[in-house]
Amino acid sequence: MTMPTQFERPEILTEENHPNHTDPAAAVDVVLVYPYFYTHAPQAMLFHPLGIAQLAAVLRSRGLRTQVVDCTFDQTKDVISKTVHARPRIVGIYAMLSMSENAMALAREIRQILPQTLLVSGGPLPTLKPDRFLPDFDGVFCGEAHAAFPDFCRDYVESDGQPKDLFRLGKYPEKYPGIYLKHPHNGAVIRSMPCSSDEKTINDLPMPDRSDYDHLQYQQFWLDREGFSLAGIMMSYGCPFDCEFCSKPVFGNHLRQRGLDQVFEEIKDIKGWGYTGLWIADDCFSLDPAYTRAFCRRMISEKLDMKWFCLSRVDRMTSSDIALWQDAGCRKVFFGLESGSNDVLKLMNKKTTTAEAEKTIHRFAQSDIRTAGFFMVGYPGETYDTIEKTFKWALSLPLDEISFTVPYPLPGTRLYDRVTPVKENPDWRYENENRLVFQSEFDEAYLKKRIDSVYKQFNAVKARMNQS
Ligand code: B12
């Protein structure tokens, strides 16, 4: 006997409760949901989601009626009501570690009300753990979904958009790189390898469509915090470094850079929405000094007057580069300094040294660019001595901000494979609360206590410096 499946649902398929069927002219083809709800946590940073903006632009360029639902400033009930009201054929929900529970809970609620709507997920965590999403979703798109997902949506909608068609489309998985579906009858996985787009494909993509976001609220958040407003932009994808703890599920190791013409067109669009600054979200902005210099020179020559923040490595930063970054509008750089012990940096495969970090941070201290250092304490294989060395070292550097976390072994990393998780599915919502989610040789209470006291010491020094 063939069991009814989540795709067929014969028991609930009636004229009355089949939203798309009763009204063939469904209002919207695709609803894209970003399942992050602003919690007002002090460490929260708000950026409108770029992946969703990218997908919305491509879907619309293919003629698909697309609505974006950004949960950031909303309540669950409003999100559900907006989604249901759109009567979509497909709902696509983004997911990453800290948002996966939200994504699944929303999917379950939407499923109840719109049983015939196709539910699809994508983003970093579904890329790594597609199986985890299949109980609540009909399918997952792994990796860079900007080509496969819109193609799939178009084919699905054109084929009348009924769940049974999913399997007709799934017969040709190679047409949709990164697709991951489970066959409803025999449970076999229908999948294809995700592909990594080349620079030409990336440059041919339409500009991310930012028209769906509540820009005033995003801007107010940053104005209150920094005095100017930041919007995210990606100029390059991928990072060739291989840090043991780093997860690069979507864009991988292969560095691809966007053409500066496209980048500047997007910066002007961002400025047009009222932003006065950029959060350059590249995995590492300083990877190719020639590219970053060309970007800075153009920022200066185009007189866009946009301030920007970025992430950088400590190596390959010269004093003249720092001066150029400052002239081009750079106001803050985040560095993954990680540890004050070279042995631990080696263990992490960080490929930098404390001496390089010291040189670069001191150089930045001569400029008007602020620096923030991220550190990790309690790394598997380090010792209480190296932890204390890291605290002492962090306090000795002329940094403007510091942040300590315990390691979070992200799925898909070599660190994840090296540790024993405490639970099979650790609760990742607490990523900023320094909870150890794996069996550690270190005492969590000790780490928390020391982190708090180092923050107090750091803040006291800063307060004294501000007074003098
Ligand atoms: C900017 C950024 C942030 C910003 C906010 C991002 C935002 N609002 O979008 C800030 C700084 C706040 C942030 C915080 C965190 N982040 Co973050 N972040 C990034 C970063 C650097 C860029 C994201 C981005 O814009 N990418 C560009 C777009 C185009 O790519 P994309 O979103 O992946 O979208 C593509 C695909 O995923 C897919 N896709 C996306 N959405 C959908 C939806 C559907 C339906 C489908 C089918 C496909 C699909 O198609 C898109 C186009 O190809 C990524 C790393 C990276 N290089 O992507 C990490 C990353 C996403 N962050 C990560 C993490 C862990 C965090 C934190 C948990 C870190 C922490 N310890 O605090 C927090 C969580 C914050 C929270 N709010 O819950 C991890 C996620 C790992 C995982 N396995 O899930 C990443 C991958 C970084 C890493 N190397 O570890 N982050």
Side-chain angles (χ1 to χ4, degrees), residues 34 36 47 92 94 96-98 123 145-146 247 251 281 283 410 431:
Y34 182 62
Y36 170 72
F47 299 104
Y94 171 81
M96 62 108 105
L97 214 57
S98 56
H146 41 242
S247 151
F251 298 107
D283 288 336
L410 298 173
E431 77 282 348

Side-chain angles (χ1 to χ4, degrees), residues 32 34 36 45-52 54-55 92-99 120-125 127-128 141 143-146 149 234 237 246-251 279 281-283 408 410-411 431-432:
L32 294 173
Y34 182 62
Y36 170 72
M45 294 207 268
L46 302 187
F47 299 104
H48 51 254
L50 254 181
I52 295 277
Q54 182 69 79
L55 293 180
I93 309 185
Y94 171 81
M96 62 108 105
L97 214 57
S98 56
M99 299 171 201
V120 181
S121 188
L125 197 61
T127 296
L128 288 165
F141 278 83
E144 299 171 20
H146 41 242
F149 179 61
M234 289 281 275
Y237 298 93
C246 184
S247 151
K248 291 174 281 186
V250 177
F251 298 107
W279 170 273
D282 301 31
D283 288 336
Y408 286 96
L410 298 173
E431 77 282 348
N432 280 309

